[in-house]
């Protein structure tokens, strides 16, 4: 049964995560209760599925008015500049990633909103963090502006929770793989491009080298994790910065080998670019035992199952 008590604003609804999250939230809460918003034009997959408004989250007043006009009770803030794009314009990335979050936290505090969701990333970790099974609490010294903004954002989330009692929840997503909407300028985007090129061209040139292992997750798992976290009883949420979240770990070579089980003639070669340094600074795998312990997180997709599903569904 849809829960009709909530009015939820999704900011950045036309992005890679936003499209799928908005559609899933509409199933749960009813189409009219999920207000999708973005700077961009409405995504074709959202058209006709519920309300859509144009919003620049950097404009705090417009956002505030929208919250009042629609009686918003929860906000999912997905607008951000991702790692690879962030390195091209670090000050802009810092400004957008931080100010968007502060605008949302501030209005949420002022209007007494029930819950806020804001994603962090494995990018908070840097070269001094353990590479394998990176723990929830460890040395955190990110070297990208994206990672620095995510780490600062986590501190702000915890601060608003401790100081003002705001119910802010967050996940450190791994690299997300999906076929419904395009990725937005990250280092893990290779793991999406490879499927498109495998289907369309039969070959792929990877910008990360063959044995670069990174934590990854298939989008259905990420959407389920987000909703399970947001629906968990507040007493179960012991981490108010951001939870480590694990799915799978693989390298470009592993994924190419898996694709070859379906497309035997598929070829891969490697022309490494500046994104290699970003990937090298991140963990190879993640310890998400805290998320498992606190609110029962359990991933469903491994590389084999994801590859089959991606190749079946990619147009
Ligand atoms: P994306 O770039 O695909 O989507 C972001 C959306 O925000 C875009 O549609 C963009 O138009 C919109 N946007 C940008 N600036 C805006 C503004 N000022 N006002 C309103 N909308 C604006 O990103 P995504 O992959 O969907 O990521 C969503 C969130 O999840 C981000 O915070 C990102 O850091 C985080 N995350 C994503 C991944 C991943 O692999 N996709 C992994 C870890 C964390
Ligand atoms: C990126 O590569 O920037 C994102 C992320 C892991 O945060 N996919």
């Amino acid at each position: 049964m849809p829960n009709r008590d909530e009015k939820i604003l999704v900011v950045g609804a036309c992005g890679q995560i936003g499209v799928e999250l908005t559609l899933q939230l509409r199933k749960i809460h009813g189409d009219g209760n999920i207000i999708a918003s973005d700077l961009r034009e409405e995504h074709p997959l959202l058209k006709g599925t519920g309300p859509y408004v144009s919003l620049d989250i950097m404009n705090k007043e417009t956002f505030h008015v929208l919250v009042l006009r629609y009686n918003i009770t929860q906000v999912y803030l997905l607008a951000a500049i991702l790692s690879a794009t962030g390195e091209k314009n670090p000050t802009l990335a810092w400004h957008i990633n931080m100010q968007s979050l502060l605008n949302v936290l501030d209005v949420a505090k002022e209007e007494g909103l029930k819950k806020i969701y804001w994603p962090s990333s494995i990018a908070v970790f840097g070269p001094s963090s353990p590479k394998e099974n990176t723990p929830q609490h460890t040395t955190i010294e990110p070297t990208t502006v994206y990672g620095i903004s995510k780490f600062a954002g986590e501190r702000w989330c915890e601060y608003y929770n401790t100081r003002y009692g705001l119910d802010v929840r967050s996940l450190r997503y791994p690299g997300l793989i999906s076929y419904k909407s395009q990725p937005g300028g990250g280092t893990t985007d290779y793991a999406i491009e490879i499927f498109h090129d495998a289907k369309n061209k039969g070959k792929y040139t990877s910008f990360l080298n063959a044995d670069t292992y990174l934590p990854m997750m298939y989008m259905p798992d990420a959407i389920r994790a987000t909703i399970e976290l947001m629906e968990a009883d507040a007493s179960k949420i012991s981490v108010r910065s951001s939870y480590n979240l694990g799915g799978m770990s693989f390298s470009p070579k592993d994924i190419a080998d898996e694709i070859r089980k379906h497309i035997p003639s598929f070829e891969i070669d490697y022309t490494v670019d500046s994104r290699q340094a970003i990937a090298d600074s991140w963990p190879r795998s993640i310890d998400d035992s805290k998320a498992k312990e606190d609110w029962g997180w359990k991933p469903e997709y491994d590389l084999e199952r994801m590859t089959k599903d991606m190749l079946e569904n990619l147009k």
Side-chain angles (χ1 to χ4, degrees), residues 16 81-85 120-124 144 146 150 172-176 183-190 192 214-216 278 282:
Q16 193 200 353
I81 306 263
L82 277 75
S83 59
T85 312
S120 183
S121 161
I122 51 152
V124 292
T144 62
Y146 175 65
K150 288 296 183 190
R172 288 174 179 154
Y173 290 131
L176 301 181
T187 304
T188 57
D189 292 6
Y190 93 84
I192 302 167
L214 287 170
M216 298 281 192
I278 301 178
W282 289 353

PDB file of all heavy atoms in Angstrom, residues 16 81-85 120-124 144 146 150 172-176 183-190 192 214-216 278 282, ligand 2:
ATOM      1  N   GLN A  16      21.646  10.030 -12.908  1.00  0.00           N
ATOM      2  CA  GLN A  16      21.745   8.567 -12.984  1.00  0.00           C
ATOM      3  C   GLN A  16      20.930   7.881 -11.888  1.00  0.00           C
ATOM      4  O   GLN A  16      20.203   6.920 -12.145  1.00  0.00           O
ATOM      5  CB  GLN A  16      23.216   8.125 -12.893  1.00  0.00           C
ATOM      6  CG  GLN A  16      23.419   6.674 -13.268  1.00  0.00           C
ATOM      7  CD  GLN A  16      24.715   6.083 -12.744  1.00  0.00           C
ATOM      8  OE1 GLN A  16      25.559   6.780 -12.195  1.00  0.00           O
ATOM      9  NE2 GLN A  16      24.871   4.785 -12.906  1.00  0.00           N
ATOM     10  N   ILE A  81      28.407  17.593  -8.255  1.00  0.00           N
ATOM     11  CA  ILE A  81      29.419  17.436  -9.309  1.00  0.00           C
ATOM     12  C   ILE A  81      30.268  16.236  -8.899  1.00  0.00           C
ATOM     13  O   ILE A  81      30.819  16.219  -7.793  1.00  0.00           O
ATOM     14  CB  ILE A  81      30.321  18.684  -9.400  1.00  0.00           C
ATOM     15  CG1 ILE A  81      29.483  19.953  -9.563  1.00  0.00           C
ATOM     16  CG2 ILE A  81      31.394  18.509 -10.468  1.00  0.00           C
ATOM     17  CD1 ILE A  81      29.313  20.462 -10.943  1.00  0.00           C
ATOM     18  N   LEU A  82      30.394  15.250  -9.790  1.00  0.00           N
ATOM     19  CA  LEU A  82      31.096  14.010  -9.439  1.00  0.00           C
ATOM     20  C   LEU A  82      32.618  14.124  -9.618  1.00  0.00           C
ATOM     21  O   LEU A  82      33.124  15.164 -10.020  1.00  0.00           O
ATOM     22  CB  LEU A  82      30.484  12.835 -10.211  1.00  0.00           C
ATOM     23  CG  LEU A  82      29.214  12.285  -9.508  1.00  0.00           C
ATOM     24  CD1 LEU A  82      28.019  13.180  -9.679  1.00  0.00           C
ATOM     25  CD2 LEU A  82      28.873  10.893  -9.980  1.00  0.00           C
ATOM     26  N   SER A  83      33.314  13.013  -9.348  1.00  0.00           N
ATOM     27  CA  SER A  83      34.774  13.095  -9.172  1.00  0.00           C
ATOM     28  C   SER A  83      35.543  13.609 -10.385  1.00  0.00           C
ATOM     29  O   SER A  83      36.372  14.519 -10.259  1.00  0.00           O
ATOM     30  CB  SER A  83      35.324  11.726  -8.760  1.00  0.00           C
ATOM     31  OG  SER A  83      35.029  10.759  -9.741  1.00  0.00           O
ATOM     32  N   ALA A  84      35.292  13.038 -11.566  1.00  0.00           N
ATOM     33  CA  ALA A  84      36.111  13.401 -12.729  1.00  0.00           C
ATOM     34  C   ALA A  84      35.801  14.836 -13.164  1.00  0.00           C
ATOM     35  O   ALA A  84      36.717  15.630 -13.413  1.00  0.00           O
ATOM     36  CB  ALA A  84      35.866  12.419 -13.872  1.00  0.00           C
ATOM     37  N   THR A  85      34.524  15.199 -13.208  1.00  0.00           N
ATOM     38  CA  THR A  85      34.140  16.574 -13.565  1.00  0.00           C
ATOM     39  C   THR A  85      34.652  17.550 -12.512  1.00  0.00           C
ATOM     40  O   THR A  85      35.096  18.651 -12.835  1.00  0.00           O
ATOM     41  CB  THR A  85      32.602  16.667 -13.682  1.00  0.00           C
ATOM     42  OG1 THR A  85      32.152  15.586 -14.478  1.00  0.00           O
ATOM     43  CG2 THR A  85      32.164  17.963 -14.307  1.00  0.00           C
ATOM     44  N   SER A 120      26.787  10.179   0.212  1.00  0.00           N
ATOM     45  CA  SER A 120      28.222  10.380   0.180  1.00  0.00           C
ATOM     46  C   SER A 120      28.786   9.319  -0.779  1.00  0.00           C
ATOM     47  O   SER A 120      28.045   8.782  -1.614  1.00  0.00           O
ATOM     48  CB  SER A 120      28.810  10.245   1.581  1.00  0.00           C
ATOM     49  OG  SER A 120      30.191  10.498   1.542  1.00  0.00           O
ATOM     50  N   SER A 121      30.060   9.024  -0.674  1.00  0.00           N
ATOM     51  CA  SER A 121      30.710   8.161  -1.680  1.00  0.00           C
ATOM     52  C   SER A 121      31.945   7.498  -1.079  1.00  0.00           C
ATOM     53  O   SER A 121      32.539   8.014  -0.123  1.00  0.00           O
ATOM     54  CB  SER A 121      31.105   9.056  -2.864  1.00  0.00           C
ATOM     55  OG  SER A 121      32.080   8.429  -3.662  1.00  0.00           O
ATOM     56  N   ILE A 122      32.373   6.411  -1.728  1.00  0.00           N
ATOM     57  CA  ILE A 122      33.660   5.797  -1.382  1.00  0.00           C
ATOM     58  C   ILE A 122      34.807   6.791  -1.617  1.00  0.00           C
ATOM     59  O   ILE A 122      35.920   6.559  -1.160  1.00  0.00           O
ATOM     60  CB  ILE A 122      33.936   4.533  -2.223  1.00  0.00           C
ATOM     61  CG1 ILE A 122      33.755   4.851  -3.722  1.00  0.00           C
ATOM     62  CG2 ILE A 122      33.050   3.378  -1.794  1.00  0.00           C
ATOM     63  CD1 ILE A 122      34.585   3.983  -4.629  1.00  0.00           C
ATOM     64  N   ALA A 123      34.500   7.888  -2.329  1.00  0.00           N
ATOM     65  CA  ALA A 123      35.516   8.912  -2.620  1.00  0.00           C
ATOM     66  C   ALA A 123      35.984   9.655  -1.366  1.00  0.00           C
ATOM     67  O   ALA A 123      36.952  10.419  -1.433  1.00  0.00           O
ATOM     68  CB  ALA A 123      34.970   9.925  -3.628  1.00  0.00           C
ATOM     69  N   VAL A 124      35.296   9.461  -0.230  1.00  0.00           N
ATOM     70  CA  VAL A 124      35.793  10.101   1.008  1.00  0.00           C
ATOM     71  C   VAL A 124      37.144   9.513   1.403  1.00  0.00           C
ATOM     72  O   VAL A 124      37.947  10.164   2.065  1.00  0.00           O
ATOM     73  CB  VAL A 124      34.828   9.966   2.220  1.00  0.00           C
ATOM     74  CG1 VAL A 124      33.570  10.767   2.005  1.00  0.00           C
ATOM     75  CG2 VAL A 124      34.524   8.515   2.548  1.00  0.00           C
ATOM     76  N   THR A 144      40.733  14.094  -3.783  1.00  0.00           N
ATOM     77  CA  THR A 144      39.987  14.796  -4.844  1.00  0.00           C
ATOM     78  C   THR A 144      39.074  15.831  -4.189  1.00  0.00           C
ATOM     79  O   THR A 144      38.654  15.663  -3.040  1.00  0.00           O
ATOM     80  CB  THR A 144      39.079  13.826  -5.636  1.00  0.00           C
ATOM     81  OG1 THR A 144      38.115  13.261  -4.733  1.00  0.00           O
ATOM     82  CG2 THR A 144      39.886  12.725  -6.285  1.00  0.00           C
ATOM     83  N   TYR A 146      36.056  16.322  -4.951  1.00  0.00           N
ATOM     84  CA  TYR A 146      34.783  15.611  -4.746  1.00  0.00           C
ATOM     85  C   TYR A 146      34.807  14.882  -3.391  1.00  0.00           C
ATOM     86  O   TYR A 146      33.869  15.002  -2.587  1.00  0.00           O
ATOM     87  CB  TYR A 146      34.607  14.627  -5.896  1.00  0.00           C
ATOM     88  CG  TYR A 146      33.420  13.707  -5.823  1.00  0.00           C
ATOM     89  CD1 TYR A 146      32.114  14.185  -5.889  1.00  0.00           C
ATOM     90  CD2 TYR A 146      33.595  12.316  -5.730  1.00  0.00           C
ATOM     91  CE1 TYR A 146      31.027  13.325  -5.857  1.00  0.00           C
ATOM     92  CE2 TYR A 146      32.517  11.446  -5.711  1.00  0.00           C
ATOM     93  CZ  TYR A 146      31.237  11.956  -5.769  1.00  0.00           C
ATOM     94  OH  TYR A 146      30.163  11.098  -5.743  1.00  0.00           O
ATOM     95  N   LYS A 150      32.586  15.541  -0.069  1.00  0.00           N
ATOM     96  CA  LYS A 150      31.740  14.493   0.519  1.00  0.00           C
ATOM     97  C   LYS A 150      32.074  14.313   2.002  1.00  0.00           C
ATOM     98  O   LYS A 150      31.180  14.128   2.832  1.00  0.00           O
ATOM     99  CB  LYS A 150      31.915  13.167  -0.232  1.00  0.00           C
ATOM    100  CG  LYS A 150      31.285  13.143  -1.617  1.00  0.00           C
ATOM    101  CD  LYS A 150      29.777  13.295  -1.547  1.00  0.00           C
ATOM    102  CE  LYS A 150      29.095  13.194  -2.904  1.00  0.00           C
ATOM    103  NZ  LYS A 150      27.677  13.560  -2.872  1.00  0.00           N
ATOM    104  N   ARG A 172      27.504   5.864   1.785  1.00  0.00           N
ATOM    105  CA  ARG A 172      28.682   6.049   0.940  1.00  0.00           C
ATOM    106  C   ARG A 172      28.554   5.065  -0.223  1.00  0.00           C
ATOM    107  O   ARG A 172      28.998   3.914  -0.127  1.00  0.00           O
ATOM    108  CB  ARG A 172      29.958   5.727   1.734  1.00  0.00           C
ATOM    109  CG  ARG A 172      30.296   6.767   2.776  1.00  0.00           C
ATOM    110  CD  ARG A 172      31.486   6.317   3.616  1.00  0.00           C
ATOM    111  NE  ARG A 172      31.839   7.322   4.606  1.00  0.00           N
ATOM    112  CZ  ARG A 172      32.459   7.067   5.753  1.00  0.00           C
ATOM    113  NH1 ARG A 172      32.806   5.820   6.048  1.00  0.00           N
ATOM    114  NH2 ARG A 172      32.752   8.032   6.588  1.00  0.00           N
ATOM    115  N   TYR A 173      27.905   5.519  -1.314  1.00  0.00           N
ATOM    116  CA  TYR A 173      27.729   4.615  -2.453  1.00  0.00           C
ATOM    117  C   TYR A 173      29.079   4.245  -3.057  1.00  0.00           C
ATOM    118  O   TYR A 173      29.960   5.102  -3.198  1.00  0.00           O
ATOM    119  CB  TYR A 173      26.942   5.285  -3.573  1.00  0.00           C
ATOM    120  CG  TYR A 173      25.479   5.564  -3.349  1.00  0.00           C
ATOM    121  CD1 TYR A 173      24.965   6.828  -3.637  1.00  0.00           C
ATOM    122  CD2 TYR A 173      24.595   4.583  -2.919  1.00  0.00           C
ATOM    123  CE1 TYR A 173      23.618   7.110  -3.489  1.00  0.00           C
ATOM    124  CE2 TYR A 173      23.237   4.861  -2.761  1.00  0.00           C
ATOM    125  CZ  TYR A 173      22.761   6.127  -3.051  1.00  0.00           C
ATOM    126  OH  TYR A 173      21.429   6.415  -2.905  1.00  0.00           O
ATOM    127  N   PRO A 174      29.200   2.996  -3.516  1.00  0.00           N
ATOM    128  CA  PRO A 174      30.315   2.628  -4.404  1.00  0.00           C
ATOM    129  C   PRO A 174      29.980   3.157  -5.805  1.00  0.00           C
ATOM    130  O   PRO A 174      28.957   3.833  -5.986  1.00  0.00           O
ATOM    131  CB  PRO A 174      30.290   1.099  -4.379  1.00  0.00           C
ATOM    132  CG  PRO A 174      29.166   0.686  -3.492  1.00  0.00           C
ATOM    133  CD  PRO A 174      28.316   1.873  -3.228  1.00  0.00           C
ATOM    134  N   GLY A 175      30.772   2.811  -6.827  1.00  0.00           N
ATOM    135  CA  GLY A 175      30.441   3.164  -8.204  1.00  0.00           C
ATOM    136  C   GLY A 175      29.154   2.451  -8.611  1.00  0.00           C
ATOM    137  O   GLY A 175      29.029   1.248  -8.397  1.00  0.00           O
ATOM    138  N   LEU A 176      28.210   3.196  -9.190  1.00  0.00           N
ATOM    139  CA  LEU A 176      26.910   2.603  -9.507  1.00  0.00           C
ATOM    140  C   LEU A 176      26.777   2.321 -10.998  1.00  0.00           C
ATOM    141  O   LEU A 176      27.144   3.149 -11.833  1.00  0.00           O
ATOM    142  CB  LEU A 176      25.783   3.526  -9.036  1.00  0.00           C
ATOM    143  CG  LEU A 176      25.798   3.824  -7.531  1.00  0.00           C
ATOM    144  CD1 LEU A 176      24.631   4.712  -7.150  1.00  0.00           C
ATOM    145  CD2 LEU A 176      25.779   2.543  -6.702  1.00  0.00           C
ATOM    146  N   PRO A 183      25.423   8.064 -16.733  1.00  0.00           N
ATOM    147  CA  PRO A 183      26.217   8.511 -15.576  1.00  0.00           C
ATOM    148  C   PRO A 183      26.646   9.965 -15.730  1.00  0.00           C
ATOM    149  O   PRO A 183      26.679  10.490 -16.847  1.00  0.00           O
ATOM    150  CB  PRO A 183      27.429   7.580 -15.601  1.00  0.00           C
ATOM    151  CG  PRO A 183      27.558   7.146 -17.014  1.00  0.00           C
ATOM    152  CD  PRO A 183      26.175   7.147 -17.599  1.00  0.00           C
ATOM    153  N   GLY A 184      27.008  10.593 -14.600  1.00  0.00           N
ATOM    154  CA  GLY A 184      27.188  12.056 -14.608  1.00  0.00           C
ATOM    155  C   GLY A 184      28.611  12.554 -14.434  1.00  0.00           C
ATOM    156  O   GLY A 184      28.815  13.603 -13.837  1.00  0.00           O
ATOM    157  N   GLY A 185      29.636  11.844 -14.913  1.00  0.00           N
ATOM    158  CA  GLY A 185      30.994  12.403 -14.866  1.00  0.00           C
ATOM    159  C   GLY A 185      31.855  11.860 -13.751  1.00  0.00           C
ATOM    160  O   GLY A 185      32.674  12.576 -13.174  1.00  0.00           O
ATOM    161  N   GLY A 186      31.687  10.570 -13.451  1.00  0.00           N
ATOM    162  CA  GLY A 186      32.474   9.948 -12.385  1.00  0.00           C
ATOM    163  C   GLY A 186      33.633   9.120 -12.925  1.00  0.00           C
ATOM    164  O   GLY A 186      33.759   8.908 -14.136  1.00  0.00           O
ATOM    165  N   THR A 187      34.468   8.640 -11.997  1.00  0.00           N
ATOM    166  CA  THR A 187      35.616   7.798 -12.342  1.00  0.00           C
ATOM    167  C   THR A 187      35.162   6.365 -12.616  1.00  0.00           C
ATOM    168  O   THR A 187      35.800   5.634 -13.376  1.00  0.00           O
ATOM    169  CB  THR A 187      36.618   7.837 -11.171  1.00  0.00           C
ATOM    170  OG1 THR A 187      36.938   9.213 -10.939  1.00  0.00           O
ATOM    171  CG2 THR A 187      37.871   7.045 -11.456  1.00  0.00           C
ATOM    172  N   THR A 188      34.057   5.960 -11.983  1.00  0.00           N
ATOM    173  CA  THR A 188      33.569   4.588 -12.163  1.00  0.00           C
ATOM    174  C   THR A 188      32.691   4.447 -13.411  1.00  0.00           C
ATOM    175  O   THR A 188      32.186   3.357 -13.674  1.00  0.00           O
ATOM    176  CB  THR A 188      32.778   4.121 -10.915  1.00  0.00           C
ATOM    177  OG1 THR A 188      31.702   5.036 -10.689  1.00  0.00           O
ATOM    178  CG2 THR A 188      33.668   4.071  -9.682  1.00  0.00           C
ATOM    179  N   ASP A 189      32.533   5.524 -14.177  1.00  0.00           N
ATOM    180  CA  ASP A 189      31.662   5.489 -15.374  1.00  0.00           C
ATOM    181  C   ASP A 189      32.123   4.450 -16.400  1.00  0.00           C
ATOM    182  O   ASP A 189      31.342   4.022 -17.254  1.00  0.00           O
ATOM    183  CB  ASP A 189      31.610   6.855 -16.071  1.00  0.00           C
ATOM    184  CG  ASP A 189      30.891   7.911 -15.242  1.00  0.00           C
ATOM    185  OD1 ASP A 189      30.532   7.603 -14.090  1.00  0.00           O
ATOM    186  OD2 ASP A 189      30.718   9.035 -15.737  1.00  0.00           O
ATOM    187  N   TYR A 190      33.408   4.049 -16.340  1.00  0.00           N
ATOM    188  CA  TYR A 190      33.905   3.074 -17.321  1.00  0.00           C
ATOM    189  C   TYR A 190      33.054   1.797 -17.282  1.00  0.00           C
ATOM    190  O   TYR A 190      32.837   1.137 -18.308  1.00  0.00           O
ATOM    191  CB  TYR A 190      35.399   2.740 -17.059  1.00  0.00           C
ATOM    192  CG  TYR A 190      35.607   1.536 -16.172  1.00  0.00           C
ATOM    193  CD1 TYR A 190      35.596   0.241 -16.694  1.00  0.00           C
ATOM    194  CD2 TYR A 190      35.751   1.677 -14.791  1.00  0.00           C
ATOM    195  CE1 TYR A 190      35.738  -0.869 -15.875  1.00  0.00           C
ATOM    196  CE2 TYR A 190      35.886   0.581 -13.969  1.00  0.00           C
ATOM    197  CZ  TYR A 190      35.880  -0.694 -14.516  1.00  0.00           C
ATOM    198  OH  TYR A 190      35.999  -1.793 -13.707  1.00  0.00           O
ATOM    199  N   ILE A 192      30.046   1.432 -16.924  1.00  0.00           N
ATOM    200  CA  ILE A 192      28.776   1.564 -17.665  1.00  0.00           C
ATOM    201  C   ILE A 192      29.083   1.647 -19.153  1.00  0.00           C
ATOM    202  O   ILE A 192      28.491   0.939 -19.965  1.00  0.00           O
ATOM    203  CB  ILE A 192      28.007   2.818 -17.201  1.00  0.00           C
ATOM    204  CG1 ILE A 192      27.748   2.725 -15.695  1.00  0.00           C
ATOM    205  CG2 ILE A 192      26.699   2.979 -17.982  1.00  0.00           C
ATOM    206  CD1 ILE A 192      27.278   4.003 -15.061  1.00  0.00           C
ATOM    207  N   LEU A 214      37.773  -1.651  -7.921  1.00  0.00           N
ATOM    208  CA  LEU A 214      37.004  -0.623  -7.205  1.00  0.00           C
ATOM    209  C   LEU A 214      35.716  -1.240  -6.657  1.00  0.00           C
ATOM    210  O   LEU A 214      35.177  -2.177  -7.271  1.00  0.00           O
ATOM    211  CB  LEU A 214      36.632   0.521  -8.157  1.00  0.00           C
ATOM    212  CG  LEU A 214      37.759   1.474  -8.569  1.00  0.00           C
ATOM    213  CD1 LEU A 214      37.302   2.396  -9.688  1.00  0.00           C
ATOM    214  CD2 LEU A 214      38.250   2.289  -7.370  1.00  0.00           C
ATOM    215  N   PRO A 215      35.207  -0.689  -5.550  1.00  0.00           N
ATOM    216  CA  PRO A 215      33.909  -1.150  -5.053  1.00  0.00           C
ATOM    217  C   PRO A 215      32.803  -0.662  -5.989  1.00  0.00           C
ATOM    218  O   PRO A 215      32.807   0.499  -6.391  1.00  0.00           O
ATOM    219  CB  PRO A 215      33.778  -0.452  -3.682  1.00  0.00           C
ATOM    220  CG  PRO A 215      35.121   0.113  -3.373  1.00  0.00           C
ATOM    221  CD  PRO A 215      35.800   0.350  -4.676  1.00  0.00           C
ATOM    222  N   MET A 216      31.889  -1.550  -6.336  1.00  0.00           N
ATOM    223  CA  MET A 216      30.829  -1.237  -7.302  1.00  0.00           C
ATOM    224  C   MET A 216      29.497  -1.806  -6.817  1.00  0.00           C
ATOM    225  O   MET A 216      29.473  -2.718  -5.982  1.00  0.00           O
ATOM    226  CB  MET A 216      31.147  -1.865  -8.662  1.00  0.00           C
ATOM    227  CG  MET A 216      32.414  -1.368  -9.304  1.00  0.00           C
ATOM    228  SD  MET A 216      32.150   0.239 -10.071  1.00  0.00           S
ATOM    229  CE  MET A 216      33.657   0.372 -11.031  1.00  0.00           C
ATOM    230  N   ILE A 278      42.711   9.079  -9.701  1.00  0.00           N
ATOM    231  CA  ILE A 278      41.566   9.154  -8.773  1.00  0.00           C
ATOM    232  C   ILE A 278      41.239   7.743  -8.281  1.00  0.00           C
ATOM    233  O   ILE A 278      41.123   7.493  -7.074  1.00  0.00           O
ATOM    234  CB  ILE A 278      40.329   9.786  -9.466  1.00  0.00           C
ATOM    235  CG1 ILE A 278      40.643  11.197  -9.976  1.00  0.00           C
ATOM    236  CG2 ILE A 278      39.137   9.797  -8.517  1.00  0.00           C
ATOM    237  CD1 ILE A 278      39.496  11.883 -10.719  1.00  0.00           C
ATOM    238  N   TRP A 282      41.351   5.438  -4.223  1.00  0.00           N
ATOM    239  CA  TRP A 282      40.140   4.910  -3.576  1.00  0.00           C
ATOM    240  C   TRP A 282      40.329   3.467  -3.100  1.00  0.00           C
ATOM    241  O   TRP A 282      41.238   2.763  -3.562  1.00  0.00           O
ATOM    242  CB  TRP A 282      38.965   4.966  -4.563  1.00  0.00           C
ATOM    243  CG  TRP A 282      38.470   6.362  -4.844  1.00  0.00           C
ATOM    244  CD1 TRP A 282      38.855   7.521  -4.221  1.00  0.00           C
ATOM    245  CD2 TRP A 282      37.513   6.751  -5.836  1.00  0.00           C
ATOM    246  NE1 TRP A 282      38.185   8.595  -4.759  1.00  0.00           N
ATOM    247  CE2 TRP A 282      37.357   8.154  -5.754  1.00  0.00           C
ATOM    248  CE3 TRP A 282      36.752   6.059  -6.788  1.00  0.00           C
ATOM    249  CZ2 TRP A 282      36.483   8.866  -6.574  1.00  0.00           C
ATOM    250  CZ3 TRP A 282      35.883   6.775  -7.602  1.00  0.00           C
ATOM    251  CH2 TRP A 282      35.745   8.156  -7.495  1.00  0.00           C
TER     252      TRP A 282
HETATM  253  C1  LIG B   2      32.450   8.791  -9.160  1.00  0.00           C
HETATM  254  O1  LIG B   2      33.139   7.965  -9.798  1.00  0.00           O
HETATM  255  O2  LIG B   2      32.729   9.984  -9.027  1.00  0.00           O
HETATM  256  C2  LIG B   2      31.198   8.265  -8.477  1.00  0.00           C
HETATM  257  C3  LIG B   2      31.501   7.893  -7.066  1.00  0.00           C
HETATM  258  C4  LIG B   2      32.111   6.584  -6.777  1.00  0.00           C
HETATM  259  O3  LIG B   2      31.256   8.665  -6.180  1.00  0.00           O
HETATM  260  N1  LIG B   2      30.688   7.185  -9.240  1.00  0.00           N
END
